[in-house]
Amino acid sequence: MDPAFRQFLIRWPQTLAVGAITLAPLALTVWALWLLAKLAALLGALVIRPLTAWGGSEPGLATTILEILTALIILTVVGTLARGAAGKAVGRAVDDAIGRIPIGRTIYSSAQKLIASFQSPMEKAQKVVLIEFPSEEMKTVGLVTQIFRAADSGEELAAVYVPTTPNPTSGYVEIVPVDRLIWLDWTLNEAVQFVVSAGVTAPEAIKYRTRGRPALDEVGPRPPEEIPPAP
């Protein structure tokens, strides 16, 4: 066997690993954009598919593109209307209509509360924490969605959503005593970036041992760093 070819075979697994690591960010970005495009196409299909079926045409690439464009138009119109009084009135009517559907009411209400919990001001409620998982010496990043008390002991508890890597929209919920949480000074965006990047985009130092809920003046995102004036 040729020595150069043999050397190539020996280094081939390492070369594959380097190639995979190099393309991983691009692949993850493409996958996320593809997922968003699929969701947009699903929304646009509610309008376009009945029209194409009525016209007798077969769905194709042009139909998918039209569905995505239709979804963007729908989201733009809904976002514009939602800012005004008319949009809020329509929103209340939609809430009332869905509230009359037993299963739909549960899902819709839960989704609304989840989104509202993440939209609350960071000055009033810290979101990002570390919880002990799967052991005391190992931690994972979580997002506090609700704080309540135990009915039997009066202990303060927190519902913590634990996102998974690389898809933060998938995860699970754990109920953790508040005094067992390690509260971080990360923003929600920083936590999502940490999870999606598998820990690559992490600060140089984070709290790992200090438990307990911080004081209100300690809660919230870090202030922006001052940029020294150019000489």
Side-chain angles (χ1 to χ4, degrees):
M1 180 182 295
D2 182 66
F5 183 68
R6 181 179 180 181
Q7 191 68 17
F8 170 77
L9 292 179
I10 294 175
R11 295 184 177 180
W12 186 44
Q14 182 180 1
T15 303
L16 288 177
V18 172
I21 293 174
T22 302
L23 292 179
L26 176 61
L28 182 59
T29 302
V30 171
W31 173 79
L33 293 176
W34 174 83
L35 180 60
L36 290 175
K38 292 289 288 184
L39 292 175
L42 180 62
L43 176 61
L46 298 176
V47 177
I48 300 301
R49 289 298 173 91
L51 296 178
T52 55
W54 178 73
S57 59
E58 292 292 332
L61 178 60
T63 303
T64 302
I65 295 176
L66 187 58
E67 290 171 353
I68 295 175
L69 293 177
T70 302
L72 295 177
I73 294 174
I74 293 175
L75 293 176
T76 302
V77 172
V78 171
T80 303
L81 293 176
R83 294 172 178 264
K88 293 179 180 179
V90 173
R92 288 192 295 268
V94 172
D95 293 345
D96 183 66
I98 297 180
R100 300 176 184 275
I101 306 174
I103 298 178
R105 176 179 59 218
T106 303
I107 299 174
Y108 187 73
S109 175
S110 300
Q112 277 189 319
K113 291 179 180 179
L114 177 62
I115 295 174
S117 69
F118 289 146
Q119 289 179 333
S120 62
M122 291 296 295
E123 292 78 11
K124 294 183 179 179
Q126 181 72 351
K127 299 298 180 186
V128 187
V129 296
L130 293 180
I131 66 172
E132 299 169 346
F133 181 83
S135 67
E136 291 187 4
E137 295 304 317
M138 299 179 68
K139 307 290 191 298
T140 188
V141 174
L143 307 174
V144 175
T145 59
Q146 180 76 302
I147 293 180
F148 44 87
R149 291 195 176 276
D152 50 356
S153 64
E155 184 179 15
E156 196 174 28
L157 305 174
V160 182
Y161 173 69
V162 181
T164 56
T165 300
N167 179 15
T169 61
S170 173
Y172 49 93
V173 177
E174 291 200 11
I175 299 177
V176 185
V178 169
D179 58 7
R180 301 288 294 182
L181 298 175
I182 299 176
W183 299 78
L184 303 180
D185 58 351
W186 294 4
T187 64
L188 181 60
N189 185 52
E190 288 172 332
V192 172
Q193 287 181 348
F194 178 83
V195 172
V196 171
S197 67
V200 174
T201 57
E204 295 182 358
I206 64 173
K207 291 193 300 182
Y208 192 77
R209 302 287 183 184
T210 307
R211 296 173 180 168
R213 194 170 184 179
L216 291 178
D217 56 354
E218 298 178 2
V219 174
R222 296 186 299 272
E225 298 181 0
E226 294 185 359
I227 301 176

